[in-house]
Amino acid sequence: MTDHILVPFDDSERSTQALEFALREHPEARITALHVVDPSDFYAATGMEGGAMANYDEIMSHQNERAENLLAEATELAEGAGRELDTDHVVGSVSRSIIAYVEDSDVDHVVMGSHGRTGARRILLGSVAETVARRSPVPVTIVR
């Protein structure tokens, strides 16, 4: 029996579908929505290089606020389904952070969207869902 499900959650339609799936298919399980703030995303977007760290605190504050807003949306989705939802966010590489969270938080199943990133970024970095599925110590359901 699945007791604790982790649903990686970002602003993609696939992660919303994964959360809806977990809520629907696992009515008795504790569900945690996890958002990962990946520093490489905002460095790439802002063109920051190694020496341009002056705005790091401001950028992290913005990213943390964004994470809280996304997780509030996830909570509302769960409440609409009549369920409670745990939420958390961490900073780091997305796939590594998901795996570490699974290992450290007594998670026994991961439900995630097939992809959140698109375009060249997905091709260059590989699929997060694929990496998690390959490295996870627990079963992974990928929602497409």
Side-chain angles (χ1 to χ4, degrees), residues 50-73:
M53 294 296 290
N55 294 325
Y56 180 80
D57 290 336
E58 182 179 331
I59 292 168
M60 280 306 300
S61 175
H62 174 74
Q63 291 298 319
N64 286 328
E65 182 179 324
R66 180 176 175 270
E68 290 172 12
N69 290 336
L70 283 170
L71 293 171
E73 291 174 23

Side-chain angles (χ1 to χ4, degrees), residues 21-99:
F21 176 88
L23 292 166
R24 181 178 63 248
E25 298 298 321
H26 300 280
E28 301 300 319
R30 175 179 160 215
I31 299 175
T32 300
L34 174 70
H35 181 73
V36 180
V37 176
D38 186 350
S40 68
D41 285 345
F42 55 85
Y43 290 139
T46 61
M48 290 179 68
E49 296 180 9
M53 294 296 290
N55 294 325
Y56 180 80
D57 290 336
E58 182 179 331
I59 292 168
M60 280 306 300
S61 175
H62 174 74
Q63 291 298 319
N64 286 328
E65 182 179 324
R66 180 176 175 270
E68 290 172 12
N69 290 336
L70 283 170
L71 293 171
E73 291 174 23
T75 300
E76 288 177 21
L77 185 71
E79 288 173 351
R83 300 283 306 276
E84 290 186 19
L85 181 71
D86 295 331
T87 61
D88 201 355
H89 74 277
V90 296
V91 177
S93 161
V94 178
S95 55
R96 285 186 189 139
S97 296
I98 293 168
I99 298 299

